[in-house]
Amino acid sequence: MSGGSDPRRFAVSDGSPLRLLWIIAPLLLFVGLTFYPLRQPVEAGAMPFAVTLTPPYFTLHGSAAWSLAIAVLLTVLLCWLFFRRRVELDGNVLSVHSTFYRKRTPVEQMDLPNAAVVDLKQEKRHGLRHKINAYSMPGFHSGHYRLHGGGKGFALVTDVHRVLVIPVRDGPTLLLSLAEPQSLLDALRRAATPRGRPR
């Protein structure tokens, strides 16, 4: 259940926007490979719609412009999703939004005594082994993963050197890159403490 007060948000570590080059560079390559067909005259009797295994991959009335339009729209979508990230605590439920993914976890399911801020390069057991269903690029990881130490993880990682790792009972471990990870951990521990009892 969520509380009656407004959700409290926790800032995600920014990470470098230069990582978007991993999205933009393939678009530029695609444009380069597609530019030449765009300059060619349309052949007489060309099919209204054609699909090929080489650039531009598909054409409409002999024009590759639709391939370029879809590639640009896909790139814009992926860039927008790169910046879609939010972590908020609403009462006793932690909600994480990251690119395509959303994860809501009640505080009572968290193993907070074993939660810690770690460097994934040093703490190999919490490292991301391989993707199950995720959006990732070098230095940015979002979604569902298998962890090196076994089990599953849900990641919003923009800085592998400073990640709040929260084990979850009967659920994936949360791995979150936050500007102030200790602030969220303290808030979770307060939310987990029954009212009227000291921590």
Side-chain angles (χ1 to χ4, degrees), residues 55-126:
Y57 301 109
F58 66 87
T59 58
L60 186 65
H61 295 292
S63 172
W66 282 103
S67 288
L68 288 178
I70 290 176
V72 169
L73 287 173
L74 181 61
T75 300
V76 170
L77 173 64
L78 292 174
C79 289
W80 174 75
L81 287 169
F82 176 81
F83 291 105
R84 184 179 180 265
R85 49 184 88 151
R86 185 169 77 248
V87 176
E88 60 185 22
L89 181 60
D90 186 3
N92 66 342
V93 176
L94 181 66
S95 181
V96 180
H97 299 255
S98 179
T99 62
F100 297 100
Y101 311 98
R102 180 180 181 184
K103 185 70 176 172
R104 289 171 54 84
T105 309
V107 172
E108 58 264 25
Q109 293 181 3
M110 300 178 185
D111 182 9
L112 294 176
N114 290 313
V117 181
V118 305
D119 182 339
L120 295 185
K121 294 292 186 180
Q122 303 296 325
E123 287 282 343
K124 298 293 185 181
R125 65 193 178 98
H126 295 304

Side-chain angles (χ1 to χ4, degrees), residues 103 105 144-145 151-154 166-174:
K103 185 70 176 172
T105 309
H144 302 271
Y145 293 81
K152 299 178 181 179
F154 180 84
I166 307 172
V168 177
R169 301 179 191 92
D170 301 319
T173 297
L174 301 177

Side-chain angles (χ1 to χ4, degrees), residues 27-39:
L27 170 66
L28 296 178
L29 177 61
F30 181 83
V31 170
L33 292 172
T34 306
F35 183 76
Y36 181 76
L38 284 174
R39 297 173 59 88

